Amino acid sequence: SHMLVMSPSSCSKVLLRGGGGGCGGGGGGRNRPASFSCHDHHLPSSRHHRSLSRSVSSSLKVSRVVLASVSASPAYETRGPESVPSTQRVPLTTGVLDDPSASSSSSTQPPLLKFYRDTNAWCPFCERVWLALEAKQIPYECEFVDLRNKPKWFTDMVPTGLVPAARFNSDDALVWESADILRELEERFPDVKLTPDDEEATQYMNEFIEKEVEAKDTLTAIGYRYLIGGAFGEERDPSKLPELKEALDEAVERAKPYFDHGFIAGNQVSLADVMIAPAIERLAANLVTFRGYDLREKLAPWFDAMEELPAYGAVMGDPETHNTVVRQLFGLKKDEAHLPPPPQYIPVTPGGAEEAGQCLKNNLDAVVADAVKNSGVSEEDADVVRVYLQTLADSLNFSSFLDSDGVGSVRPMSPHPRPSMQELKELDDEAAEAAVKLAARKRAVGAATIAFVRNRVSAPRDMSAHAAVAFRAAADSFLTSIY
């Protein structure tokens, strides 16, 4: 499981500016498994300021074409020859039916479309489409696109070269840019609507989208300026932080009425919630950690409503993933921001532990290879790495049978404890010293492995947010018992 591998690039540009509809490709980084990165060479959209409730037939002149069928695998998540996702997230069928992490519209029926998205699962525009697919309960399949090395078939197929894109099985129609895909989904699949039936609520939804999604100075754009200390690309000036905070306070007060009653436009999730969720989700995790600004508390009714949705539970990230990503994106250093524990508003659950353990078991070979390559241990330690990862997976599986309070408290014993006094008595001095050193070295390899994968996991790319939280809790507990 090649886990978290974000690099500084221009998804940040899009979040700072607001609006937009796709992520592209760009640079790389060291120690990065091939095929994982989320970037944006953002192209302006001619449809940038149109209301999402407009007729689909008039809004897809540029981003909709009909192509010959592209080869597809019937699998839930398909792997192209140049595109290798970190994990094969298989929806679980036991023990997690009441857990939001178990949701997957694509797992029960033949797919109606193919959803092209980034391998890293961090592109906010892909998350918009992903959330809409889950909320509308549309069967779909995914194909991952390596944004650092986009395959020719994808750039030939999508003129902008950006993700997300969607190809509909019924007529081979291809649509790209997130806003246009959302419109197309509303037109083609009206059974579960993301636009309110009430005209006044629809107007309210469109007003929000115009002001807080498509405009230049949106709440999220202003929030990211405060987070990084200025506009993207500008040299950061700490002296501007009070001024930027004041601007954010004003933006929050302006936008707060939209969030005060739960969902933005009525009693059900709408396109307004879908379009703002990826940016607000990231910003809330980042601001409280790096600036001590609790955006989540200020918009609590909306967060509470969204996190009750199984669809959102399936696609959202967790705070630790978002904070790890933003440190790389914006280069926040120790002298600029302390790193307190991330806010734990996602609970550790038995269902999350089951999913995390199953993901680790399903991808054990890939996780071992990644740890050997990137954690600092040597290739000759591969067998030791595997033992500790298998122990972690077993611990998660055991945790799945406990109640919520017990999950994460399991402390498995080290597979290589210090030899007992009785064992050492049976050896001469030289052999005893060698046995102690060998066991200690294996424990060191094990500790490095668990610490590495603990911070390597990325939600929702490798597993759901609920699973990632359980994974890290189990890893933390294991680390305390290795020595």
Side-chain angles (χ1 to χ4, degrees):
S1 166
H2 300 305
M3 296 184 186
L4 181 61
V5 280
M6 273 301 300
S7 68
S9 190
S10 54
C11 265
S12 49
K13 299 178 188 175
V14 181
L15 290 172
L16 286 167
R17 184 171 62 201
C23 289
R30 295 191 302 174
N31 293 334
R32 184 185 320 286
S35 305
F36 300 102
S37 187
C38 179
H39 304 283
D40 171 54
H41 290 167
H42 183 71
L43 302 180
S45 169
S46 61
R47 301 159 300 285
H48 187 68
H49 292 290
R50 281 212 299 273
S51 162
L52 277 173
S53 65
R54 281 189 63 172
S55 167
V56 173
S57 62
S58 64
S59 65
L60 301 175
K61 295 178 181 177
V62 177
S63 65
R64 186 178 189 275
V65 296
V66 177
L67 299 177
S69 176
V70 179
S71 61
S73 161
Y76 164 55
E77 293 186 341
T78 59
R79 300 168 183 249
E82 306 89 349
S83 146
V84 184
S86 58
T87 64
Q88 193 81 344
R89 283 183 55 189
V90 180
L92 302 179
T93 58
T94 59
V96 292
L97 296 180
D98 295 326
D99 193 311
S101 68
S103 173
S104 178
S105 295
S106 63
S107 62
T108 58
Q109 302 176 37
L112 300 179
L113 62 93
K114 179 176 282 189
F115 173 34
Y116 299 91
R117 64 179 180 91
D118 63 311
T119 56
N120 228 25
W122 198 80
C123 169
F125 304 112
C126 291
E127 184 178 330
R128 286 177 177 176
V129 176
W130 193 6
L131 175 54
L133 289 167
E134 292 290 341
K136 290 173 72 66
Q137 301 174 34
I138 301 168
Y140 65 93
E141 60 182 337
C142 290
E143 180 143 350
F144 296 87
V145 178
D146 176 4
L147 302 186
R148 289 192 304 121
N149 183 27
K150 284 178 284 190
K152 187 175 184 300
W153 62 260
F154 183 76
T155 56
D156 287 345
M157 184 176 70
V158 179
T160 61
L162 305 179
V163 292
R167 185 177 65 84
F168 295 88
N169 293 352
S170 61
D171 59 3
D172 286 335
L174 180 75
V175 185
W176 58 92
E177 296 215 16
S178 62
D180 291 336
I181 297 172
L182 294 176
R183 280 191 285 268
E184 188 80 355
L185 293 176
E186 281 297 279
E187 176 76 8
R188 287 174 177 261
F189 307 106
D191 289 348
V192 179
K193 298 177 64 176
L194 294 176
T195 50
D197 292 324
D198 180 76
E199 183 176 345
E200 183 177 350
T202 298
Q203 291 175 351
Y204 194 70
M205 177 190 75
N206 289 330
E207 175 188 284
F208 174 84
I209 292 170
E210 181 178 352
K211 291 181 178 179
E212 298 299 342
V213 176
E214 297 178 338
K216 179 180 179 181
D217 289 322
T218 63
L219 168 62
T220 54
I222 293 169
Y224 271 96
R225 289 174 204 151
Y226 177 49
L227 176 67
I228 68 172
F232 183 82
E234 294 180 355
E235 185 173 349
R236 292 195 293 271
D237 182 356
S239 69
K240 291 183 178 179
L241 287 176
E243 175 187 340
L244 294 169
K245 181 181 181 297
E246 183 178 350
L248 178 56
D249 286 334
E250 293 175 359
V252 169
E253 287 305 307
R254 178 192 72 213
K256 196 171 182 296
Y258 291 107
F259 296 89
D260 273 348
H261 304 288
F263 299 119
I264 291 168
N267 296 323
Q268 294 183 327
V269 65
S270 74
L271 289 168
D273 305 294
V274 167
M275 295 195 78
I276 197 65
I280 288 288
E281 169 192 320
R282 290 157 173 76
L283 191 60
N286 300 154
L287 282 175
V288 72
T289 298
F290 296 102
R291 295 286 178 243
Y293 192 98
D294 197 343
L295 182 63
R296 180 186 176 85
E297 182 181 42
K298 298 177 187 296
L299 308 181
W302 181 84
F303 277 102
D304 291 343
M306 288 296 290
E307 287 166 7
E308 288 293 318
L309 289 176
Y312 187 54
V315 308
M316 70 180 187
D318 72 302
E320 190 148 348
T321 294
H322 293 321
N323 290 334
T324 302
V325 167
V326 86
R327 288 203 306 274
Q328 296 185 39
L329 281 173
F330 301 124
L332 294 174
K333 304 288 195 266
K334 184 178 179 182
D335 59 350
E336 294 180 84
H338 296 289
L339 294 177
Q344 289 302 321
Y345 49 80
I346 300 175
V348 179
T349 63
E354 180 183 4
E355 182 193 342
Q358 193 63 50
C359 282
L360 182 53
K361 286 183 177 180
N362 289 351
N363 298 278
L364 189 60
D365 289 343
V367 181
V368 170
D370 188 40
V372 169
K373 180 179 179 182
N374 294 312
S375 70
V377 304
S378 67
E379 291 187 8
E380 66 186 31
D381 296 318
D383 289 343
V384 177
V385 168
R386 180 178 296 274
V387 167
Y388 278 84
L389 290 173
Q390 184 64 60
T391 303
L392 177 59
D394 292 341
S395 171
L396 284 160
N397 183 62
F398 178 78
S399 295
S400 70
F401 294 99
L402 304 176
D403 60 26
S404 294
D405 291 336
V407 175
S409 63
V410 177
R411 297 180 63 198
M413 294 298 295
S414 171
H416 302 100
R418 187 182 189 278
S420 68
M421 297 299 295
Q422 181 61 41
E423 290 171 328
L424 293 176
K425 283 181 181 179
E426 296 174 0
L427 302 173
D428 61 42
D429 290 347
E430 184 176 348
E433 182 179 0
V436 169
K437 286 184 177 180
L438 178 60
R441 185 182 182 285
K442 289 182 176 180
R443 292 197 300 277
V445 170
T449 297
I450 299 304
F452 172 77
V453 298
R454 183 235 182 265
N455 289 344
R456 190 72 150 160
V457 70
S458 176
R461 188 196 62 203
D462 301 315
M463 56 188 69
S464 73
H466 290 79
V469 168
F471 184 95
R472 294 193 184 97
D476 288 340
S477 184
F478 191 11
L479 282 168
T480 67
S481 66
I482 289 178
Y483 283 97

